Amino acid sequence: MAHLSTKTYGNDRGLSCCSRQWAADSDCHLLHGYSFGFHFVFAAEQLDARGWVLDFGRGGFGLIRDWLHDMFDHTLLVARDDPERPALEALGTRGIARVRVVEGTSCERMAELTFRRADAIVREATQGRCWVESVECSEHGSNSAIYRSQPAIERLAESDRLRLAIESGTDSAD
C-alpha cells in the first residue's frame, strides 16, 4: 500500500489562459478563457525523513507550481491540429500572446499534460520515491477532468473486484 497526499491549486490562483476547441459545434470553437485549477494526488511507499509524501515547498510542489505558471498563466493554448494554428502562433511572433502548442485543449488533455509533467518532476525531485497518482484539471466549479496513472486504475479495479467478491459472498481465490 502507498501513502497518499493531496494538493489543490485552485481556480482562484489566477492561471488564466485562453484556448478554443476548434472542432466543437458550440461557442467553444471560439477563443475563450479559463482560470484553470488543479488537484493532485501524490503517492509514495515510503515517507521522507520529515514523514511526508512530498514536500509542498520549493523542493517538491514548488517545481510543479513554477511549471503551472509558465504553462497556464496568461498564455494562449493552441491545439497541434488546429487549422488556424499558424494564425494563432503569429500572435506570439507579434508579441501579443505567449503561445503554448499542446496536443489538445480539452480539460481532459490538460489533466493528462499536467499529470505527465508533474509525475516527471516529482520522480526526479524524490529520486523515484514518490509519484503522481492522479491530476484533476478544472475549468471552473462545474467542469473538470481527471487523468489517473495506470497503477492507480489497476488498484481501483482490484479494489472493486474484492468489494464485489465480499458483497456476493464468493471467495476471491475461486
Side-chain angles (χ1 to χ4, degrees):
M1 263 346 241
H3 293 275
L4 301 176
S5 69
T6 66
K7 179 71 169 177
T8 299
Y9 203 78
N11 302 88
D12 59 330
R13 297 295 183 119
L15 295 177
S16 301
C17 61
C18 181
S19 66
R20 75 187 202 114
Q21 294 286 336
W22 68 266
D25 294 330
S26 65
D27 283 346
C28 289
H29 79 279
L30 300 171
L31 288 173
H32 60 285
Y34 292 113
S35 179
F36 281 142
F38 295 91
H39 180 76
F40 297 85
V41 178
F42 301 102
E45 293 292 336
Q46 295 179 327
L47 301 176
D48 71 9
R50 297 161 292 200
W52 298 342
V53 170
L54 181 68
D55 176 0
F56 287 154
R58 196 73 208 129
F61 187 80
L63 300 168
I64 297 170
R65 183 181 55 244
D66 292 346
W67 179 82
L68 289 171
H69 280 269
D70 183 61
M71 189 68 196
F72 300 114
D73 188 21
H74 290 82
T75 59
L76 171 58
L77 306 176
V78 178
R80 191 170 307 287
D81 64 347
D82 189 323
E84 295 298 327
R85 179 176 159 190
L88 295 169
E89 284 184 306
L91 296 174
T93 304
R94 295 180 59 198
I96 297 171
R98 289 193 317 221
V99 177
R100 305 290 185 262
V101 177
V102 295
E103 286 305 311
T105 56
S106 66
C107 201
E108 291 83 354
R109 286 291 195 178
M110 294 303 101
E112 179 183 4
L113 170 71
T114 302
F115 171 92
R116 292 186 188 285
R117 185 65 182 127
D119 191 52
I121 289 170
V122 164
R123 286 178 188 270
E124 182 177 337
T126 66
Q127 292 81 48
R129 182 187 57 76
C130 181
W131 63 93
V132 177
E133 190 83 354
S134 66
V135 171
E136 179 176 8
C137 174
S138 59
E139 297 170 332
H140 47 70
S142 298
N143 296 347
S144 71
I146 299 171
Y147 190 86
R148 285 196 174 114
S149 68
Q150 188 60 38
I153 292 169
E154 291 166 4
R155 281 191 294 277
L156 287 172
E158 178 64 9
S159 175
D160 285 347
R161 186 188 68 74
L162 290 172
R163 181 184 48 79
L164 289 171
I166 290 168
E167 288 173 0
S168 68
T170 61
D171 186 338
S172 62
D174 291 340

